[in-house]
Amino acid sequence: MNCIQLVELVTDYLEGSMPAEQRARFDEHIAGCDGCTTYLEQFRITIRLTGMLDEEQIAPDIRETLLGVFRDWRTSA
Amino acid sequence: MSDPPPPAATQQDLALVRALRAGDETAFMMLVERYQPAMLRVALMYVSTRAVAEEVVQDAWVGVLKGLEGFEGRSSLRTWIFRILVNTAKTRGQREARSIPFSSVWSADPDADPSVEPGRFLPPGHPASGRWAEPPVGWESTPEERLLAKETLAEVSRAIDALPPNQREVIRMRDVLGWPSADVRNALDISETNQRVLLHRARAKVRRALEGYLGAERERKA
């Protein structure tokens, strides 16, 4: 495994969805490669920062409309 | 290898469904706050305008309410809600006779979009071909408070907004909303592999954006 291949496999690695043999080669490469160690670390930081974002807000008029949908359903049910 | 079955509804899901069946408005509005933005974005992938997408989402909520009696908890509540949404959006998209085939909505070309610009690796023919020529510079020198600053997060947000819709939605569901992969693939009716490829493409592009942003900052300071 070389660096250009490894960078395509980082999500597979983090998801634990790699065959054991491939995982061993990934670990072996990382152990001897500063560039890929940094890349993996940056991937982890990227995931952490993405996790700090908020979901979008919904518009008040949509909230009102859907409340109406719910009330209609409740009276008809 | 077939994908494992979807995770069943949690106790929390079942409690929510009981509250909805009993007519609890607060429970419904909580669901709306939680899922409406993602539902609207997903709907937009199947229909042509925001107005139609909003109608689709509203129809999907009606479908959810009508289907509550029949919810058996074989899948998680969010998976079930998104399945209703995707089906509603597909039906509407078909009626609109959109030229984009639905099968391409979630397709990820595995050969496209390398995670890192190929020019950063030693070229073919070089004895160490495929190794870093220009390795990433670690972010350790960036102070934690800078890394977590509003401006950095805004950069992440911009990078996500710039992604193709299918990558954008998968990274939002997985990394912003924190859904497990099984919920994402079931909600969107895509394979485990496809989900993972889309997620990886998305994360790789966000990392690149951060690398550019933090690198430019470092240069300004130097």
Side-chain angles (χ1 to χ4, degrees):
Chain A
M1 189 180 296
N2 59 21
C3 310
I4 200 169
Q5 292 164 334
L6 185 138
V7 298
E8 301 303 338
L9 296 169
V10 175
T11 295
D12 288 22
Y13 181 77
L14 295 175
E15 300 268 287
S17 54
M18 263 183 178
E21 190 240 356
Q22 192 181 31
R23 193 172 183 86
R25 277 187 287 132
F26 189 103
D27 283 330
E28 194 190 333
H29 180 99
I30 282 280
C33 180
D34 289 345
C36 286
T37 301
T38 300
Y39 189 84
L40 179 63
E41 176 60 16
Q42 290 185 347
F43 227 79
R44 289 203 167 105
I45 294 172
T46 301
I47 294 166
R48 185 157 67 96
L49 292 182
T50 305
M52 295 174 68
L53 299 180
D54 295 320
E55 176 61 297
E56 292 171 41
Q57 296 288 307
I58 65 177
D61 59 320
I62 289 183
R63 200 176 285 130
E64 279 308 306
T65 307
L66 289 173
L67 194 55
V69 166
F70 187 73
R71 286 175 179 161
D72 287 350
W73 167 77
R74 198 170 47 188
T75 26
S76 69
Chain B
M1 198 166 54
S2 69
D3 294 336
T10 60
Q11 286 306 315
Q12 212 183 2
D13 281 349
L14 296 174
L16 245 173
V17 169
R18 276 194 299 275
L20 292 171
R21 283 174 182 156
D24 183 339
E25 223 166 77
T26 315
F28 180 69
M29 291 320 285
M30 195 179 84
L31 274 186
V32 167
E33 297 286 344
R34 202 184 281 173
Y35 298 132
Q36 173 81 16
M39 289 168 81
L40 189 57
R41 292 190 304 263
V42 170
L44 263 169
M45 296 167 70
Y46 294 91
V47 299
S48 51
T49 67
R50 190 171 176 96
V52 175
E54 282 178 2
E55 279 175 34
V56 163
V57 178
Q58 189 174 327
D59 289 351
W61 281 118
V62 171
V64 165
L65 293 173
K66 284 190 176 150
L68 273 179
E69 248 358 274
F71 179 78
E72 289 172 350
R74 277 194 302 248
S75 66
S76 71
L77 185 58
R78 60 185 164 211
T79 292
W80 182 71
I81 291 173
F82 274 82
R83 280 299 185 99
I84 293 173
L85 171 81
V86 169
N87 285 331
T88 310
K90 278 183 181 169
T91 307
R92 186 62 186 261
Q94 254 146 15
R95 230 189 311 146
E96 274 196 321
R98 272 194 106 186
S99 52
I100 307 161
F102 296 140
S103 58
S104 72
V105 168
W106 297 102
S107 74
D109 179 354
D111 298 323
D113 294 341
S115 297
V116 176
E117 306 88 315
R120 296 202 37 192
F121 299 97
L122 295 167
H126 190 283
S129 164
R131 293 208 61 126
W132 290 103
E134 196 193 316
V137 179
W139 295 335
E140 302 83 25
S141 64
T142 305
E144 181 82 355
E145 69 263 23
R146 198 73 206 90
L147 208 53
L148 306 181
K150 261 205 326 265
E151 292 75 16
T152 315
L153 294 181
E155 187 63 30
V156 173
S157 188
R158 266 195 298 278
I160 290 175
D161 288 345
L163 294 169
N166 55 12
Q167 295 177 15
R168 190 178 60 211
E169 209 41 48
V170 170
I171 196 174
R172 277 191 162 278
M173 286 181 168
R174 284 298 309 280
D175 292 346
V176 179
L177 301 174
W179 295 15
S181 68
D183 271 7
V184 175
R185 77 175 148 75
N186 285 300
L188 304 176
D189 197 16
I190 59 180
S191 73
E192 180 73 38
T193 307
N194 205 3
Q195 188 253 170
R196 211 166 50 234
V197 171
L198 292 168
L199 179 62
H200 184 74
R201 297 272 164 261
R203 286 172 170 176
K205 284 180 196 159
V206 176
R207 190 211 66 86
R208 275 166 75 159
L210 274 172
E211 182 179 44
Y213 174 76
L214 296 171
E217 256 215 337
R218 209 167 32 231
E219 272 169 34
R220 256 203 313 280
K221 287 214 182 103

